[in-house]
Amino acid sequence: MEVDMEVDDFVTKSQTFVSWLEKAGVTISDKIELADLRNRGAGRGVVARKDIAEDEVLFTIPRTSILSPETSALPKDITSSLEDPWLSLILNMIYEHQQGQTSKWQPYLDILPQDFDTPMFWDEDTLSFLKGSAVLSKIGKSSADQSFKTQLLPIIRANENLFYGNDVLDSELLALCHRMASTIMAYAFDLPSQDGPASEQEDGWEVDSNASTAATPKGMIPLADLLNANADLNNAKLYHTPDAVEMRSIKPISTGDELLNDYGPLPRADLLRRYGYTTNEYAKYDVVEIAEDLIFLPASKTLGLSTSALQERLDYLEEHDVLDTTYDISHCDSKELTPSPFPEELTTALNTLALSAEDFKTLKTKSKLPKPDPSEKTCGLLRENLERRGDMYLHSTYTLDQNAIDDMKKNWDLSKSGARRRLMALEVICGEKQVLAGARDWTEERRKGWLEAAYNKRQAEDEVDGERKGKKGKR
């Protein structure tokens, strides 16, 4: 692998990193090379030097060259009290970082970013541009601070001979914890023991309380984490073997093309939260989360349900595993009745609330649920939900659209972090409003369909009545 660029600090670090990979036992195909993609705003990336066929091994990384608690030089007993693999990896990375040039991982750590555009590092004014998006509740800076203060800082302070913490303030250690945690969020992979496709970590320490996910070991995989991502052009995938991980091509790749991974179906809000950027390639995955408190109580008031009647129906839905705390509204084609932008659990729940008392009693007797296809009443409830959800955003629907976003990209100085972050926030909000607009259009098309069906029914009935009158007149 070659790095053929004008020598500067960026390129020097790349060259040192490539040399380190070779010494670490990483096997790299001569058909690829590390590239400087700063002119595309993509930092480092990996590109094809020659044509690559499908299912070729692009590089192989032994497990001993994956930075994890198992391979770090930090004594294992230091982290034995940490049950969360995220916290364990954060602490090991802090240790290796503080070792400087004596750490075997230093050439790798040198190419990892020191600054991030993720919302974790935004000020309150910039965060306000995300008002209305559920991503605000997922940043979790306070809970992360609490975890660091109660679990990591005491270990560092108790082992200052290892961590060089004598002259470091708690605030500086907290900042270092956040930096390493954000590095893991953006670059780490889950490390399951079984063979097969690898995956990037499912979610972060800020929000994840799922025991099964939390128990999965995490690791930093050099070179694999330098592949940029594209939902549409994904051409490479990481696979586990017992002793190594392999990056393989999943389709033919032409000379000069970039090797691209894929994050999976991530909405741009989560792309921003985890990786600190947005891109239109992931716009199709945008969703809007609607919390249950915006749905069921307001719906009961519209339907005239008493508190006891609402609770009875919610209890019934809970028994049938239909209720959730939030529901995702997704992109749709408003001209097509399927697929619906609304999850079946939501439409099933609202269909249940919209039943008459007698119909609900019959349903309950049979221990069944209504079909998820939304009724006319349910579509009315959905439109009300969408309006309530849209009112939560800071920016007017009528002044924020894709044209406005495009104008900002042309006129704002995006070299400044403040402007760049505000633009990304507005892209997230614009995308979510497009989801809401599409869902409103979908319900409107359904309403038009019912009106047309009712009109046709009346027309048919009038024709029958006319024929009957005509026959009576002849008599």
Side-chain angles (χ1 to χ4, degrees):
M1 181 180 281
E2 300 176 0
V3 181
D4 185 15
M5 293 285 175
E6 178 182 354
V7 177
D8 59 15
D9 187 54
F10 183 93
V11 175
T12 299
K13 288 181 178 179
S14 294
Q15 292 171 329
T16 303
F17 172 63
V18 171
S19 297
W20 176 83
L21 287 173
E22 295 170 351
K23 294 175 183 176
V26 177
T27 304
I28 304 170
S29 167
D30 63 359
K31 294 184 178 182
I32 65 173
E33 63 182 348
L34 190 63
D36 183 346
L37 303 180
R38 285 177 291 177
N39 59 342
R40 305 182 196 174
R44 293 177 179 87
V46 181
V47 300
R49 299 177 62 226
K50 303 175 183 178
D51 289 347
I52 297 170
E54 182 178 348
D55 201 33
E56 284 196 44
V57 176
L58 305 171
F59 52 82
T60 303
I61 301 172
R63 289 186 179 272
T64 53
S65 295
I66 296 174
L67 176 52
S68 71
E70 295 300 316
T71 57
S72 169
L74 180 66
K76 304 298 180 287
D77 62 303
I78 301 298
T79 58
S80 60
S81 63
L82 297 175
E83 297 180 358
D84 188 335
W86 275 85
L87 293 175
S88 183
L89 184 54
I90 290 169
L91 195 61
N92 278 274
M93 289 184 64
I94 290 174
Y95 171 78
E96 296 293 347
H97 164 74
Q98 290 189 332
Q99 304 312 301
Q101 296 302 319
T102 64
S103 169
K104 65 171 279 190
W105 304 98
Q106 192 61 34
Y108 173 42
L109 297 175
D110 279 345
I111 67 164
L112 296 174
Q114 297 184 21
D115 301 303
F116 295 86
D117 271 334
T118 48
M120 176 69 72
F121 299 96
W122 294 11
D123 59 36
E124 290 300 320
D125 180 62
T126 307
L127 284 172
S128 71
F129 282 76
L130 285 169
K131 184 177 184 297
S133 176
V135 73
L136 274 177
S137 65
K138 299 179 181 180
I139 297 170
K141 184 171 173 44
S142 296
S143 60
D145 279 344
Q146 182 66 14
S147 293
F148 299 155
K149 289 177 181 178
T150 59
Q151 297 190 61
L152 297 189
L153 264 60
I155 294 176
I156 294 173
R157 291 303 185 200
N159 297 276
E160 291 187 339
N161 59 315
L162 293 173
F163 287 96
Y164 308 112
N166 290 319
D167 299 321
V168 182
L169 299 174
D170 280 2
S171 59
E172 294 174 312
L173 287 175
L174 275 178
L176 186 56
C177 287
H178 277 294
R179 172 185 159 188
M180 294 307 173
S182 295
T183 302
I184 296 169
M185 174 76 82
Y187 288 87
F189 290 79
D190 284 337
L191 297 177
S193 58
Q194 72 272 18
D195 295 354
S199 64
E200 295 202 353
Q201 40 79 21
E202 290 299 321
D203 218 324
W205 41 266
E206 290 99 342
V207 299
D208 189 17
S209 59
N210 182 282
S212 62
T213 300
T216 305
K218 315 290 180 188
M220 301 288 294
I221 305 181
L223 189 59
D225 54 18
L226 293 186
L227 267 66
N228 293 306
N230 187 300
D232 299 322
L233 302 177
N234 174 217
N235 55 21
K237 192 174 186 67
L238 194 67
Y239 290 83
H240 286 290
T241 67
D243 300 316
V245 293
E246 295 178 346
M247 186 68 73
R248 301 179 194 164
S249 56
I250 59 173
K251 62 179 66 171
I253 305 172
S254 300
T255 302
D257 285 352
E258 185 178 0
L259 273 61
L260 295 165
N261 207 336
D262 184 21
Y263 298 137
L266 274 187
R268 283 183 292 180
D270 283 334
L271 198 67
L272 175 62
R273 178 178 67 87
R274 287 171 57 170
Y275 303 105
Y277 78 100
T278 57
T279 174
N280 288 337
E281 282 84 4
Y282 285 82
K284 60 187 175 184
Y285 301 127
D286 287 344
V287 298
V288 174
E289 294 183 23
I290 300 186
E292 61 179 346
D293 59 355
L294 285 179
I295 300 171
F296 299 122
L297 184 58
S300 71
K301 293 179 179 179
T302 298
L303 296 167
L305 291 176
S306 66
T307 301
S308 59
L310 171 63
Q311 192 59 53
E312 181 185 11
R313 299 188 188 206
L314 291 179
D315 289 343
Y316 183 74
L317 292 167
E318 182 70 37
E319 291 172 8
H320 286 77
D321 296 323
V322 172
L323 291 186
D324 207 341
T325 54
T326 60
Y327 297 88
D328 286 352
I329 312 303
S330 56
H331 271 297
C332 69
D333 183 346
S334 62
K335 301 299 181 182
E336 300 290 337
L337 296 183
T338 56
S340 164
F342 303 100
E344 290 188 353
E345 293 82 0
L346 174 58
T347 53
T348 298
L350 290 177
N351 280 344
T352 302
L353 264 60
L355 292 173
S356 66
E358 183 178 347
D359 287 341
F360 175 66
K361 183 178 180 181
T362 301
L363 188 79
K364 193 174 181 181
T365 300
K366 296 179 179 179
S367 191
K368 290 186 176 181
L369 291 170
K371 293 180 179 180
D373 189 44
S375 67
E376 188 170 0
K377 275 187 179 180
T378 292
C379 270
L381 296 173
L382 289 169
R383 285 195 295 273
E384 292 178 5
N385 288 334
L386 295 172
E387 292 303 321
R388 282 191 292 272
R389 186 62 180 84
D391 289 342
M392 296 175 65
Y393 291 99
L394 175 66
H395 305 279
S396 168
T397 302
Y398 305 105
T399 58
L400 182 63
D401 56 20
Q402 192 58 49
N403 289 332
I405 294 293
D406 291 340
D407 287 342
M408 294 172 194
K409 288 181 178 179
K410 293 177 183 177
N411 299 319
W412 288 12
D413 182 2
L414 299 182
S415 65
K416 297 180 178 178
S417 63
R420 186 171 60 252
R421 292 171 178 180
R422 288 193 295 273
L423 175 64
M424 292 190 294
L426 293 176
E427 285 184 306
V428 167
I429 299 302
C430 183
E432 293 188 8
K433 289 192 170 187
Q434 288 173 351
V435 170
L436 289 178
R440 281 194 296 267
D441 290 345
W442 187 90
T443 60
E444 180 62 19
E445 287 298 317
R446 293 296 296 261
R447 187 185 71 84
K448 289 179 181 177
W450 282 310
L451 290 176
E452 183 178 350
Y455 174 79
N456 291 337
K457 182 180 180 180
R458 287 195 301 270
Q459 287 287 94
E461 290 172 348
D462 290 344
E463 288 178 6
V464 172
D465 288 343
E467 290 176 0
R468 289 174 180 171
K469 291 178 182 179
K471 289 180 180 179
K472 289 182 179 179
K474 290 180 180 180
R475 291 175 186 171

